[in-house]
Amino acid sequence: MPETNIQLHTGRGKGTDVDSCPGLSASDNLSGLILYHRQKNGRSSHTYENGYHFLSNDGENKRLDLQHHIWYLTLDGKLGLAPPVEQAINVGRVLDLGTGTGIWATDFAEDHPEAEVMGTDVKMADPRFLPSNVTFLAANYEEEWNFPCQFDYIHSRMANSSVADWSLYIRNSFAALAPGGYLELQEFDLATSSGSLSPSHALHKSMGLIRSAAAKFNRPIIDLSTLPTLLTEAGFEDVFVAFKGRWPSNTLWPADLKEREIGRWNYLNVGEGIEGFLLGRGVLGLGLTREEIGTLAGEVKKDLADPEVHAYWPVVVVYGRKPDETRKAGRSYLGPLRGIWKRLTSVIGKYW
């Protein structure tokens, strides 16, 4: 990979330092270099050395913002479910991994003007409106992490099929957190159904191709049920599965009103993104031509519109807290003091 410098985009003016995080500026040469840029399949893309690609264009950016809206609906208007997300809580430094268009980082910064928010991705996010407390860094979380400061809250969304080693990814997040800080994972799995989606459906075939391509390029689709264990093994405490749900394929079959609304938007999300999913996940490496992928994507859109196909994408939210030894030590002293105070008040009560 050719050597390059980290690119930095900050709301405080290009090239300025990030408050409370000394040393992070546009000239810093951190590990995790920006991935080199090239053209593939007529779209702008960023690539890992092993050939795994993520496509990027204006249409995809709009879809990513649409996907953000689906998460907004899913979480009832919240940006996350971990304690730091609550507006009443003052948050210090926040890291948004795989920030995409930067919309989550920007929204969080608006909700928490006291926070310092950093969004990282392989492509530099460049939103039109940038709050003064947001910084964007073009960096690859698959490389060595070497941030000049620790964070109080790390947010990661839709990284499934983008991470080679989830155990390492979570351990790196743990190391990047300050004691008492939280990691929140908002993740998805590939489409499934309760029986209406069969191997004869193009949607079923496309999900199989994406799963195979992800495995081939060493970014397998992880079983969502393993995330809590991985957090615990990395050293997190208070690990909690805060949400388990699904994104329906359309608005025609769900009985639940909220799921219908999510299905309405997810129909657009998948319909507009399916060809890019197949191309970006390396399905061309499985021997299909671009024309064959285009034909398959067209058939998938028909399945998405079929009221008899009750397909959905499982989603979960899991978070955990990095232990705070100072907090533990405080509790260890408070325990005996509470006991002494209880005995003292008991004795006083006898003679008062």
Side-chain angles (χ1 to χ4, degrees):
M1 182 180 296
E3 190 176 21
T4 182
N5 288 324
I6 287 289
Q7 297 181 26
L8 186 73
H9 185 191
T10 171
R12 288 189 166 77
K14 191 173 183 180
T16 59
D17 289 344
V18 179
D19 288 356
S20 306
C21 197
L24 183 56
S25 69
S27 61
D28 285 326
N29 186 20
L30 305 180
S31 298
L33 302 178
I34 184 172
L35 304 179
Y36 59 91
H37 181 275
R38 73 181 185 182
Q39 289 292 321
K40 180 175 178 64
N41 302 316
R43 303 186 184 199
S44 172
S45 72
H46 295 264
T47 177
Y48 294 107
E49 288 182 288
N50 67 0
Y52 195 72
H53 306 280
F54 298 86
L55 301 181
S56 174
N57 59 16
D58 289 341
E60 175 64 4
N61 288 339
K62 291 178 181 177
R63 191 196 64 79
L64 289 174
D65 285 350
L66 168 62
Q67 193 168 263
H68 175 73
H69 177 65
I70 299 175
W71 273 110
Y72 183 84
L73 294 173
T74 301
L75 302 183
D76 298 322
K78 295 184 178 181
L79 294 173
L81 299 178
V85 177
E86 297 298 328
Q87 291 191 9
I89 295 178
N90 289 331
V91 189
R93 293 184 292 268
V94 177
L95 177 62
D96 182 27
L97 293 168
T99 195
T101 65
I103 189 171
W104 184 94
T106 300
D107 282 356
F108 191 94
E110 289 180 326
D111 286 351
H112 291 270
E114 82 288 350
E116 290 295 332
V117 184
M118 177 188 292
T120 67
D121 211 325
V122 296
K123 180 185 177 183
M124 178 69 69
D126 189 16
R128 293 180 180 179
F129 171 75
L130 190 61
S132 63
N133 56 331
V134 176
T135 299
F136 291 111
L137 183 71
N140 175 10
Y141 54 57
E142 292 285 87
E143 301 291 337
E144 180 183 357
W145 293 25
N146 191 19
F147 294 105
C149 60
Q150 290 184 308
F151 299 91
D152 302 297
Y153 174 47
I154 296 179
H155 170 264
S156 172
R157 173 186 284 179
M158 307 293 275
N160 213 349
S161 83
S162 301
V163 174
D165 185 341
W166 272 92
S167 179
L168 178 61
Y169 182 68
I170 291 172
R171 292 200 309 272
N172 282 339
S173 298
F174 184 89
L177 281 169
Y182 283 84
L183 168 65
E184 178 167 347
L185 305 174
Q186 299 176 4
E187 281 306 325
F188 77 102
D189 201 348
L190 296 180
T192 184
S193 74
S194 57
S196 59
L197 187 64
S198 70
S200 63
H201 286 102
L203 179 58
H204 186 281
K205 181 179 180 180
S206 69
M207 295 299 103
L209 288 170
I210 290 173
R211 188 178 298 276
S212 297
K216 179 179 180 180
F217 290 109
N218 193 32
R219 279 162 181 79
I221 304 294
I222 192 173
D223 181 348
L224 300 181
S225 67
T226 65
L227 292 176
T229 300
L230 290 174
L231 263 71
T232 301
E233 291 175 348
F236 284 96
E237 295 181 340
D238 301 333
V239 176
F240 182 55
V241 180
F243 178 83
K244 292 176 69 174
R246 61 184 185 177
W247 290 0
S249 54
N250 58 47
T251 191
L252 301 174
W253 61 266
D256 181 78
L257 292 179
K258 179 179 175 180
E259 285 195 346
R260 285 184 188 176
E261 179 68 5
I262 291 173
R264 182 164 73 96
W265 294 103
N266 195 40
Y267 170 78
L268 297 173
N269 174 45
V270 180
E272 294 179 3
I274 186 60
E275 186 171 357
F277 299 158
L278 292 167
L279 291 170
R281 264 51 183 184
V283 172
L284 281 173
L286 299 180
L288 276 73
T289 66
R290 180 180 174 85
E291 291 70 26
E292 288 172 329
I293 289 176
T295 300
L296 177 62
E299 294 299 316
V300 168
K301 293 177 183 179
K302 294 179 182 178
D303 289 343
L304 292 173
D306 189 343
E308 300 302 319
V309 176
H310 297 186
Y312 59 87
W313 282 254
V315 292
V316 299
V317 177
V318 183
Y319 65 77
R321 181 179 59 82
K322 183 174 181 175
D324 186 343
E325 298 302 325
T326 303
R327 181 178 169 186
K328 284 184 177 180
R331 285 202 300 263
S332 67
Y333 286 115
L334 285 174
L337 287 174
R338 289 193 186 100
I340 293 172
W341 176 252
K342 186 176 181 180
R343 289 194 295 271
L344 182 61
T345 54
S346 176
V347 171
I348 293 173
K350 290 181 179 180
Y351 298 99
W352 190 257

